[in-house]
Amino acid sequence: MPTTAVNKVERQEQILHSLERFSFMSRSHIQRLHRLGSVRNAQKVLKQMEEYLHCFREGYDTVYYLSKLGRDMIGAKKQVKRSLQTRHTLMRNDFFFYIGCPSYWKNELKVTNEGKVMVIPDATFQKNQRYHFLEIDNTQTMAENRIKIERYKEFFATGLFQKQYRHFPTIHIVTINRSRMKRFTELCEGLPVQVYLYDDIK
């Protein structure tokens, strides 16, 4: 098989594995992560892979996820479908790119203590040799958010995370409007936290 053909297959499989990892990715996400160059070239590459992909429009971009053929090609077991949680996933992925694509990034990693699940951040990542937690606020009520923040405050006061991570991870919160941004800032007073407006990071 010619080298160019091998490279093409390898690149396609790499893109499929990225979609397995992130569930949903926009064309610009794939273009950036796999260094596809121009928008025109990225669209050409993805057009050649259309039998392995499902797609839909989201704002000004196209979002892709694996079809059955795509899952079979790489042996992916998890099937994802477009749902109310899709935007939540895309917001999380947008933050991954915004923060610089950290090499250590785990989605919904359970934080446990003596076998008990204490909290499940939307993502846990490392940057500058420190741990960070990500929380995405999309459809949750502020009452639900308050409960989770109070748990973080409890863990901060008891030093639970300091024992596990050697420091208390900075909490990054991405929310959908400025009034919620202000509310989160008030709720998180005393915690190491950064609050972002989604429109500013996507």
Side-chain angles (χ1 to χ4, degrees):
M1 185 181 293
T3 302
T4 53
V6 172
N7 290 341
K8 177 182 175 181
V9 171
E10 287 179 352
R11 181 175 61 186
Q12 288 184 348
E13 289 190 350
Q14 288 169 1
I15 292 171
L16 295 176
H17 280 296
S18 292
L19 285 164
E20 179 186 20
R21 178 187 180 190
F22 291 100
S23 298
F24 297 92
M25 296 181 74
S26 67
R27 184 266 310 153
S28 55
H29 288 162
I30 297 170
Q31 179 182 347
R32 178 176 172 183
L33 190 63
H34 292 278
R35 300 178 181 178
L36 299 182
S38 66
V39 171
R40 183 177 180 180
N41 186 62
Q43 291 172 333
K44 177 183 175 182
V45 169
L46 292 167
K47 177 68 175 175
Q48 293 170 344
M49 297 176 62
E50 61 183 356
E51 63 182 322
Y52 305 123
L53 308 173
H54 291 309
C55 66
F56 60 90
R57 293 291 296 179
E58 178 75 16
Y60 296 103
D61 212 340
T62 303
V63 174
Y64 295 87
Y65 60 106
L66 296 177
S67 68
K68 184 180 185 304
L69 277 176
R71 296 194 306 275
D72 290 345
M73 174 63 72
I74 59 171
K77 295 180 180 179
K78 183 180 177 181
Q79 179 182 5
V80 299
K81 295 183 178 180
R82 190 179 181 185
S83 69
L84 294 176
Q85 282 294 105
T86 300
R87 188 164 187 264
H88 183 277
T89 301
L90 289 169
M91 289 172 70
R92 179 174 63 198
N93 294 345
D94 280 326
F95 188 82
F96 170 82
F97 285 93
Y98 173 80
I99 209 70
C101 305
S103 57
Y104 180 88
W105 176 279
K106 302 291 184 182
N107 291 333
E108 299 177 0
L109 183 67
K110 296 176 181 178
V111 181
T112 62
N113 183 44
E114 298 180 350
K116 181 182 178 181
V117 177
M118 310 305 289
V119 69
I120 307 177
D122 288 314
T124 301
F125 64 96
Q126 278 185 303
K127 194 170 179 66
N128 300 325
Q129 298 183 324
R130 293 183 66 86
Y131 285 94
H132 302 257
F133 291 153
L134 172 65
E135 295 291 349
I136 299 295
D137 170 53
N138 181 27
T139 59
Q140 299 93 324
T141 66
M142 285 308 297
E144 292 172 314
N145 290 326
R146 176 189 286 276
I147 291 170
K148 197 164 192 179
I149 296 302
E150 289 301 324
R151 295 187 75 192
Y152 276 122
K153 285 186 172 181
E154 178 186 344
F155 302 148
F156 184 72
T158 59
L160 175 65
F161 292 163
Q162 286 90 325
K163 295 174 185 175
Q164 188 166 346
Y165 296 103
R166 299 185 180 178
H167 57 268
F168 191 91
T170 299
I171 303 168
H172 300 260
I173 300 172
V174 178
T175 190
I176 53 177
N177 59 51
R178 294 192 183 280
S179 62
R180 282 186 169 233
M181 193 176 180
K182 180 181 178 183
R183 189 69 183 123
F184 273 113
T185 301
E186 294 169 349
L187 284 173
C188 294
E189 185 176 0
L191 290 174
V193 66
Q194 289 183 255
V195 185
Y196 308 79
L197 183 65
Y198 178 54
D199 285 346
D200 291 340
I201 64 104
K202 65 180 179 178

